[in-house]
Amino acid sequence: MRLLTLRAFPIALCLLAAGCASRPLPSYEKPIARTQFQHVRTTAYTDTESDHVQYTNHNALGTCLQCGAVHSAAADWSRWPAGTMFRIVETGEIYQVDDYGWALAGTNTIDLYKPSRALMNAWGVRRVTIENLQWGDPVHSLVVLSPRVRYRHIKRMVHEIKERMAELKRPVPTSPPPVVALQPPAVAPGNTLQPATYVAPAAQPVSATPPVGGVARDPFFANAVR
C-alpha cells in the first residue's frame, strides 16, 4: 500500500501541473491610473471556498487573513502591490492587499475577504470608489512572487511589475487632511479665548518591510498555486 501511495503522488502532481497549464488566464485589462481615488470592480471571497480550502485561513504572504479594523484583500500586485491599504468610500471599511489569485492577474478587480459565505454572497459584485491610503512596496512584492514564477498568473504579475517599476515607485499625490472646526467652549464674558481647530490625523502608513530573509514566513506558500 505504501509503495502504491508513493507511486501515485508524482502522478497527482503531474495532473495538477497539467491542469494549471491548461487553465486560461483572465482577459488582460489595461491598468487604471494610479490616483488617490479609483473607481474599481470588486468581488468577494472567503477561506472556506473550494479553491481556498487548501490554504486554510492564510493569505499569500503566509500570515492569517485579516477581518477586523483592517480586512484582507486580494489583487494583482502589479496594480496594487502587497501592503497597499485602501478605504471603500461607500462603506468606510479599510482593506490591505495581502493576497492574490489566478482570476485577478492582469485585471483591475479587487477581491475582498469576508469571514463567511453569507457575507461573501451578500457582497456579490460591486463597483465602488476606493481611497488609497498607502501604496504597497513593489520591490517586496517581487521578492515574494519571484520564487513562484512557474505559475503563469504569477509570471504575468512579475513581468508587469518589472515593466511598471518606475511608475509603481513614484509617489501619488494625496489631499491634505481636513481641518475640522470644534465647537468653542463656554467662556466667561470678556474672555478672549479663540475657537480651537483640529487637524484630522493622516492614515497610518503600512509597513512594507519584508519578513526576515526576504521571503514569505510560511515555506508552504513558496510553492503554492495561488
Side-chain angles (χ1 to χ4, degrees):
M1 179 63 69
R2 180 183 178 85
L3 182 59
L4 289 174
T5 302
L6 291 175
R7 287 179 176 174
F9 185 68
I11 296 174
L13 289 179
C14 290
L15 291 174
L16 177 61
C20 292
S22 61
R23 186 180 183 184
L25 287 170
S27 299
Y28 181 83
E29 299 173 355
K30 181 181 178 181
I32 59 177
R34 293 179 70 244
T35 55
Q36 181 185 0
F37 291 92
Q38 296 173 309
H39 192 56
V40 300
R41 177 181 183 269
T42 64
T43 53
Y45 74 106
T46 190
D47 55 287
T48 57
E49 289 183 273
S50 59
D51 60 348
H52 202 286
V53 169
Q54 60 182 312
Y55 310 113
T56 63
N57 65 335
H58 288 75
N59 56 41
L61 295 176
T63 57
C64 289
L65 290 163
Q66 305 176 80
C67 182
V70 178
H71 307 262
S72 288
D76 182 327
W77 290 3
S78 68
R79 286 103 195 282
W80 295 277
T84 296
M85 182 175 282
F86 62 88
R87 178 178 67 90
I88 296 180
V89 173
E90 290 84 351
T91 65
E93 297 170 300
I94 296 177
Y95 285 83
Q96 184 176 14
V97 176
D98 56 18
D99 214 352
Y100 57 76
W102 181 281
L104 302 173
T107 78
N108 296 314
T109 295
I110 297 178
D111 211 8
L112 308 174
Y113 172 68
K114 301 295 181 181
S116 70
R117 285 177 175 267
L119 290 174
M120 176 189 73
N121 293 331
W123 183 266
V125 179
R126 304 187 195 182
R127 294 199 68 87
V128 300
T129 299
I130 65 171
E131 178 187 10
N132 291 297
L133 305 175
Q134 180 72 33
W135 290 91
D137 184 354
V139 175
H140 180 209
S141 299
L142 273 183
V143 170
V144 175
L145 295 175
S146 294
R148 314 175 189 180
V149 291
R150 64 184 175 277
Y151 302 113
R152 290 186 298 136
H153 64 303
I154 297 178
K155 186 176 182 178
R156 172 184 270 189
M157 285 193 289
V158 167
H159 173 75
E160 193 160 348
I161 290 175
K162 291 179 178 178
E163 288 285 315
R164 305 182 63 210
M165 181 61 74
E167 178 188 358
L168 293 172
K169 294 175 72 174
R170 189 180 306 129
V172 175
T174 57
S175 302
V179 177
V180 182
L182 301 179
Q183 291 295 326
V187 295
N191 194 317
T192 58
L193 180 65
Q194 297 298 313
T197 59
Y198 169 70
V199 178
Q204 293 296 316
V206 180
S207 173
T209 305
V212 177
V215 296
R217 286 182 285 274
D218 187 340
F220 168 78
F221 288 93
N223 299 311
V225 181
R226 201 170 184 79

mmCIF file of all heavy atoms in Angstrom, residues 27-46:
data_model
loop_
_atom_site.group_PDB
_atom_site.id
_atom_site.type_symbol
_atom_site.label_atom_id
_atom_site.label_comp_id
_atom_site.label_asym_id
_atom_site.label_seq_id
_atom_site.Cartn_x
_atom_site.Cartn_y
_atom_site.Cartn_z
ATOM 1 N N SER A 27 -8.787 37.550 -19.191
ATOM 2 C CA SER A 27 -8.523 38.543 -20.240
ATOM 3 C C SER A 27 -7.782 39.740 -19.642
ATOM 4 O O SER A 27 -8.157 40.246 -18.582
ATOM 5 C CB SER A 27 -9.833 39.009 -20.880
ATOM 6 O OG SER A 27 -10.500 37.922 -21.487
ATOM 7 N N TYR A 28 -6.748 40.175 -20.348
ATOM 8 C CA TYR A 28 -5.919 41.261 -19.847
ATOM 9 C C TYR A 28 -6.655 42.596 -19.937
ATOM 10 O O TYR A 28 -7.326 42.885 -20.933
ATOM 11 C CB TYR A 28 -4.614 41.340 -20.642
ATOM 12 C CG TYR A 28 -3.683 42.427 -20.171
ATOM 13 C CD1 TYR A 28 -2.835 42.217 -19.082
ATOM 14 C CD2 TYR A 28 -3.658 43.671 -20.802
ATOM 15 C CE1 TYR A 28 -1.980 43.215 -18.637
ATOM 16 C CE2 TYR A 28 -2.812 44.678 -20.355
ATOM 17 C CZ TYR A 28 -1.978 44.442 -19.277
ATOM 18 O OH TYR A 28 -1.144 45.443 -18.838
ATOM 19 N N GLU A 29 -6.542 43.396 -18.869
ATOM 20 C CA GLU A 29 -7.114 44.733 -18.828
ATOM 21 C C GLU A 29 -6.001 45.752 -18.632
ATOM 22 O O GLU A 29 -5.098 45.537 -17.819
ATOM 23 C CB GLU A 29 -8.122 44.861 -17.679
ATOM 24 C CG GLU A 29 -9.312 43.921 -17.791
ATOM 25 C CD GLU A 29 -10.189 43.957 -16.545
ATOM 26 O OE1 GLU A 29 -9.821 44.644 -15.562
ATOM 27 O OE2 GLU A 29 -11.236 43.285 -16.560
ATOM 28 N N LYS A 30 -6.070 46.856 -19.355
ATOM 29 C CA LYS A 30 -5.083 47.917 -19.194
ATOM 30 C C LYS A 30 -5.179 48.474 -17.777
ATOM 31 O O LYS A 30 -6.277 48.745 -17.286
ATOM 32 C CB LYS A 30 -5.331 49.023 -20.213
ATOM 33 C CG LYS A 30 -4.326 50.161 -20.134
ATOM 34 C CD LYS A 30 -4.638 51.231 -21.166
ATOM 35 C CE LYS A 30 -3.652 52.392 -21.056
ATOM 36 N NZ LYS A 30 -3.947 53.457 -22.044
ATOM 37 N N PRO A 31 -4.057 48.633 -17.071
ATOM 38 C CA PRO A 31 -4.099 49.160 -15.696
ATOM 39 C C PRO A 31 -4.766 50.531 -15.641
ATOM 40 O O PRO A 31 -4.561 51.373 -16.517
ATOM 41 C CB PRO A 31 -2.616 49.257 -15.306
ATOM 42 C CG PRO A 31 -1.918 48.280 -16.195
ATOM 43 C CD PRO A 31 -2.674 48.308 -17.493
ATOM 44 N N ILE A 32 -5.577 50.742 -14.624
ATOM 45 C CA ILE A 32 -6.191 52.051 -14.433
ATOM 46 C C ILE A 32 -5.154 52.993 -13.815
ATOM 47 O O ILE A 32 -4.154 52.555 -13.244
ATOM 48 C CB ILE A 32 -7.445 51.969 -13.538
ATOM 49 C CG1 ILE A 32 -7.097 51.395 -12.159
ATOM 50 C CG2 ILE A 32 -8.521 51.143 -14.207
ATOM 51 C CD1 ILE A 32 -8.276 51.356 -11.199
ATOM 52 N N ALA A 33 -5.402 54.279 -13.937
ATOM 53 C CA ALA A 33 -4.451 55.274 -13.438
ATOM 54 C C ALA A 33 -4.272 55.153 -11.932
ATOM 55 O O ALA A 33 -5.234 54.898 -11.194
ATOM 56 C CB ALA A 33 -4.943 56.669 -13.806
ATOM 57 N N ARG A 34 -3.026 55.324 -11.496
ATOM 58 C CA ARG A 34 -2.721 55.293 -10.062
ATOM 59 C C ARG A 34 -3.033 56.665 -9.474
ATOM 60 O O ARG A 34 -2.252 57.604 -9.587
ATOM 61 C CB ARG A 34 -1.261 54.919 -9.830
ATOM 62 C CG ARG A 34 -0.910 53.496 -10.237
ATOM 63 C CD ARG A 34 0.573 53.215 -10.004
ATOM 64 N NE ARG A 34 0.889 53.145 -8.590
ATOM 65 C CZ ARG A 34 1.700 53.980 -7.948
ATOM 66 N NH1 ARG A 34 2.250 54.995 -8.593
ATOM 67 N NH2 ARG A 34 1.959 53.832 -6.662
ATOM 68 N N THR A 35 -4.174 56.776 -8.836
ATOM 69 C CA THR A 35 -4.598 58.031 -8.234
ATOM 70 C C THR A 35 -5.058 57.767 -6.807
ATOM 71 O O THR A 35 -5.235 56.604 -6.403
ATOM 72 C CB THR A 35 -5.756 58.659 -9.027
ATOM 73 O OG1 THR A 35 -6.816 57.686 -9.140
ATOM 74 C CG2 THR A 35 -5.301 59.055 -10.431
ATOM 75 N N GLN A 36 -5.265 58.823 -6.062
ATOM 76 C CA GLN A 36 -5.715 58.653 -4.685
ATOM 77 C C GLN A 36 -7.078 57.983 -4.633
ATOM 78 O O GLN A 36 -7.315 57.083 -3.824
ATOM 79 C CB GLN A 36 -5.763 60.006 -3.971
ATOM 80 C CG GLN A 36 -6.212 59.904 -2.510
ATOM 81 C CD GLN A 36 -6.373 61.239 -1.835
ATOM 82 O OE1 GLN A 36 -6.148 62.277 -2.456
ATOM 83 N NE2 GLN A 36 -6.749 61.247 -0.571
ATOM 84 N N PHE A 37 -7.992 58.399 -5.515
ATOM 85 C CA PHE A 37 -9.324 57.798 -5.574
ATOM 86 C C PHE A 37 -9.467 57.037 -6.888
ATOM 87 O O PHE A 37 -9.111 57.545 -7.955
ATOM 88 C CB PHE A 37 -10.405 58.874 -5.467
ATOM 89 C CG PHE A 37 -10.493 59.518 -4.111
ATOM 90 C CD1 PHE A 37 -9.772 60.672 -3.836
ATOM 91 C CD2 PHE A 37 -11.279 58.967 -3.111
ATOM 92 C CE1 PHE A 37 -9.842 61.278 -2.587
ATOM 93 C CE2 PHE A 37 -11.356 59.560 -1.854
ATOM 94 C CZ PHE A 37 -10.633 60.718 -1.588
ATOM 95 N N GLN A 38 -9.995 55.817 -6.818
ATOM 96 C CA GLN A 38 -10.192 54.990 -8.002
ATOM 97 C C GLN A 38 -11.577 54.359 -7.946
ATOM 98 O O GLN A 38 -12.068 54.009 -6.869
ATOM 99 C CB GLN A 38 -9.129 53.887 -8.085
ATOM 100 C CG GLN A 38 -7.707 54.392 -8.252
ATOM 101 C CD GLN A 38 -6.698 53.253 -8.157
ATOM 102 O OE1 GLN A 38 -6.711 52.466 -7.215
ATOM 103 N NE2 GLN A 38 -5.821 53.172 -9.147
ATOM 104 N N HIS A 39 -12.192 54.198 -9.116
ATOM 105 C CA HIS A 39 -13.484 53.511 -9.216
ATOM 106 C C HIS A 39 -13.193 52.109 -9.742
ATOM 107 O O HIS A 39 -12.711 51.952 -10.875
ATOM 108 C CB HIS A 39 -14.414 54.269 -10.159
ATOM 109 C CG HIS A 39 -15.835 53.814 -10.102
ATOM 110 N ND1 HIS A 39 -16.573 53.779 -8.925
ATOM 111 C CD2 HIS A 39 -16.674 53.359 -11.069
ATOM 112 C CE1 HIS A 39 -17.784 53.343 -9.173
ATOM 113 N NE2 HIS A 39 -17.869 53.074 -10.466
ATOM 114 N N VAL A 40 -13.422 51.082 -8.929
ATOM 115 C CA VAL A 40 -12.998 49.733 -9.275
ATOM 116 C C VAL A 40 -14.130 48.711 -9.118
ATOM 117 O O VAL A 40 -15.089 48.928 -8.369
ATOM 118 C CB VAL A 40 -11.799 49.278 -8.413
ATOM 119 C CG1 VAL A 40 -10.615 50.210 -8.607
ATOM 120 C CG2 VAL A 40 -12.180 49.220 -6.940
ATOM 121 N N ARG A 41 -13.958 47.606 -9.809
ATOM 122 C CA ARG A 41 -14.862 46.458 -9.678
ATOM 123 C C ARG A 41 -14.360 45.600 -8.522
ATOM 124 O O ARG A 41 -13.168 45.308 -8.420
ATOM 125 C CB ARG A 41 -14.866 45.655 -10.971
ATOM 126 C CG ARG A 41 -15.711 44.376 -10.940
ATOM 127 C CD ARG A 41 -15.622 43.656 -12.275
ATOM 128 N NE ARG A 41 -16.456 42.465 -12.326
ATOM 129 C CZ ARG A 41 -16.028 41.250 -11.981
ATOM 130 N NH1 ARG A 41 -14.783 41.072 -11.567
ATOM 131 N NH2 ARG A 41 -16.845 40.202 -12.068
ATOM 132 N N THR A 42 -15.246 45.190 -7.642
ATOM 133 C CA THR A 42 -14.863 44.337 -6.522
ATOM 134 C C THR A 42 -15.713 43.070 -6.489
ATOM 135 O O THR A 42 -16.876 43.079 -6.888
ATOM 136 C CB THR A 42 -15.011 45.069 -5.167
ATOM 137 O OG1 THR A 42 -16.395 45.390 -4.949
ATOM 138 C CG2 THR A 42 -14.172 46.330 -5.137
ATOM 139 N N THR A 43 -15.110 42.003 -6.038
ATOM 140 C CA THR A 43 -15.803 40.747 -5.774
ATOM 141 C C THR A 43 -15.484 40.368 -4.332
ATOM 142 O O THR A 43 -14.836 41.135 -3.611
ATOM 143 C CB THR A 43 -15.325 39.645 -6.742
ATOM 144 O OG1 THR A 43 -13.888 39.565 -6.694
ATOM 145 C CG2 THR A 43 -15.748 39.948 -8.169
ATOM 146 N N ALA A 44 -15.926 39.210 -3.891
ATOM 147 C CA ALA A 44 -15.673 38.785 -2.516
ATOM 148 C C ALA A 44 -15.303 37.310 -2.483
ATOM 149 O O ALA A 44 -15.695 36.533 -3.361
ATOM 150 C CB ALA A 44 -16.893 39.056 -1.640
ATOM 151 N N TYR A 45 -14.516 36.936 -1.481
ATOM 152 C CA TYR A 45 -14.154 35.530 -1.301
ATOM 153 C C TYR A 45 -14.057 35.225 0.190
ATOM 154 O O TYR A 45 -14.011 36.134 1.033
ATOM 155 C CB TYR A 45 -12.834 35.203 -2.007
ATOM 156 C CG TYR A 45 -11.573 35.735 -1.340
ATOM 157 C CD1 TYR A 45 -10.706 34.888 -0.652
ATOM 158 C CD2 TYR A 45 -11.220 37.084 -1.424
ATOM 159 C CE1 TYR A 45 -9.538 35.360 -0.065
ATOM 160 C CE2 TYR A 45 -10.055 37.568 -0.855
ATOM 161 C CZ TYR A 45 -9.213 36.703 -0.161
ATOM 162 O OH TYR A 45 -8.056 37.187 0.421
ATOM 163 N N THR A 46 -14.042 33.939 0.511
ATOM 164 C CA THR A 46 -13.872 33.508 1.897
ATOM 165 C C THR A 46 -12.965 32.292 1.923
ATOM 166 O O THR A 46 -12.744 31.637 0.887
ATOM 167 C CB THR A 46 -15.231 33.203 2.556
ATOM 168 O OG1 THR A 46 -15.045 33.007 3.957
ATOM 169 C CG2 THR A 46 -15.884 31.969 1.945
#
